[in-house]
Amino acid sequence: MNFDLSEEHIALRDMARKFAADVIAPNARTWDRESNIPDEVYKQLGELGFMGLMIPAELDGSELGYVGATIVIEEIARHCGGTALMLSAHNGLCCAHLMIAASEAQKKKYLPKLATGEHIGAWGLTEAKCGSDASALETTAVLKGNEWVINGNKMFITNGGKAQIFVIMAVTDPDGRKGHNISAFIVEAGAKGLEIGAEEDKMGMRASNTVPLTFEDLRVPKENLCGELGGGYVDTLMVLERGRIGIGALSVGLGRGALEEALAYSQQREAFGTVLANHQALQFMMADMATHIDAARLLVRKAASMQNAGQPCKMEASICKLFASEMATKAALDAIQILGGYGYIKEMPVERYMRDAKLLEIGEGTSQIQRIIIARELLEQD
């Protein structure tokens, strides 16, 4: 499989890289400290086409596909994991679910504003008792007349406090077969019965907005069912598969950022009469970092290319997410080690990269879940 970038992809990479360096890098520490990405940044990302990465042009999207999306997310993550996570959740979860399951009327109604950044998207699956087991939902939706009445709670919802559009999963048949009794619903911000909780005080990814949601007799129109009744779980698995490719790209960006910061520091700081970069022990650390980052990027682009081609890539998406997320944490820790005491203070980005990277081993399927998926796929191939 050829992973050479086209001229269009190179131009896209350079545009994303410049924006990340000019706008994100100087502000990332502030956004992390204040737990907020300013509203004007969402607008700028929308103007660049980054809020509608996989949305068709006829719906005002940039139609860049999954390879294009991974390029953008990597470049943004190089300087701010939280901003990249916002983009990944908006594009790879909310918009992706609508692209997979929404009716044509729903797509025309919601996707153009999501594509331009006028609206922010969020996706609601996780609950207190529903994390790795995505079918163990307790939130319910009951059809009463021409409305669905939703009751329950969601937690750890990325973009939840900023979003205008939510895709929410709920049980629609309490007595139905597990995994076939879940449906998805489109919920608009401001709906009566939708309560958005206080922002979570997280270890990392602090620029990214994360909140709990509570539904108390939340009423949504009957036509806001997204996809087939009872088909929400199957659609969710498809969304997560695509989302893992985005998390892989985010991981590559953080790992690359850690290496580039370590390289720059090692060529300035002196110890034992020479710069750190001349010490073989640190050269080996950085060589390993570069090797693992490149391998992770190739795995991500393989999965993205397969997704673009409409090929099954369940295992490839899990492989890229597993390898890249664990690589990012290790790269950030090694960068801190190379910077020594300076790596442990907030003045240097690497301590933030370490805090940001750890979530990638947890969100959208833990490393343990990825290993289960990969093993099952391997056994089914025999």
Side-chain angles (χ1 to χ4, degrees), residues 300-354:
V300 169
R301 289 192 180 161
K302 177 183 179 182
S305 296
M306 293 177 71
Q307 189 64 246
N308 276 352
Q311 300 173 0
C313 61
K314 183 178 182 180
M315 184 170 75
E316 288 78 8
S318 286
I319 287 174
C320 84
K321 196 268 189 189
L322 170 66
F323 184 85
S325 62
E326 295 190 348
M327 173 280 295
T329 300
K330 179 67 163 57
L333 287 170
D334 284 349
I336 290 172
Q337 194 73 15
I338 291 168
L339 269 68
Y342 285 104
Y344 202 67
I345 61 175
K346 292 185 181 296
E347 181 181 347
M348 297 295 189
V350 292
E351 72 84 31
R352 171 163 47 85
Y353 294 165
M354 183 273 293

Side-chain angles (χ1 to χ4, degrees), residues 167-178:
V167 178
I168 302 296
M169 270 53 71
V171 173
T172 47
D173 182 5
D175 300 321
R177 185 157 59 101
K178 189 176 181 181

